[in-house]
Every structure is written in C-alpha cells, then in structure tokens.
Amino acid sequence: MEQNMNYNELVQMKQDGKIGWLDFLLKGDDADDYKQWCQDHGEEPTEANAELYVEMTDAKAIELMATK
C-alpha cells in the first residue's frame, strides 16, 4: 500500500501548481473517504468531482467548528 503524503507537502505542491485536486486527495489521508464518496455517488474519481469533494468537506468542517 502506498504511503500517504504529508498534508503540508500536498498543500505546497497544490499551491505551486504541481498537482491538482485529484492528486491532492488521492495522495493524502482522505483518499479512502474520497474513493468511497465516489463509489457511493456512482462517480469515477475526476479533477472536477475532487474539487467538489474538497469544497463540500471544507464547508462541513467550517460548519462543525462554528457550532462548537
């Protein structure tokens, strides 16, 4: 099994334009959750739905932090 990359390394690579949202997710700790989300929604992993997944999970995290 491939070892996941460090979150800060992934953020830096994304900011530098070296990877897109799809690689950001597939190489990080959320890879399994993202793959399950795709399967649950009948989708193949793509750049577009990877970006949507990030937006949705970020919004959910912000919402949860606001209620605490």
Side-chain angles (χ1 to χ4, degrees), residues 11-65:
V11 169
Q12 188 62 52
M13 290 176 71
K14 177 68 177 102
Q15 289 175 343
D16 292 345
K18 294 179 180 177
I19 62 172
W21 288 117
L22 184 58
D23 283 335
F24 181 85
L25 287 172
L26 293 178
K27 294 179 180 188
D29 291 336
D30 292 331
D32 291 338
D33 291 339
Y34 170 63
K35 290 175 190 175
Q36 184 63 53
W37 180 86
C38 287
Q39 186 176 21
D40 291 348
H41 291 87
E43 297 284 339
E44 292 293 322
T46 66
E47 186 67 27
N49 66 31
E51 184 175 3
L52 174 64
Y53 180 84
V54 170
E55 289 173 1
M56 287 177 25
T57 55
D58 282 353
K60 180 83 169 166
I62 291 169
E63 182 180 312
L64 288 172
M65 288 184 342

Side-chain angles (χ1 to χ4, degrees), residues 1-6 9-10 26-29 31:
M1 185 166 119
E2 185 178 319
Q3 184 177 6
N4 293 341
M5 293 183 70
N6 174 288
E9 292 174 315
L10 289 169
L26 293 178
K27 294 179 180 188
D29 291 336

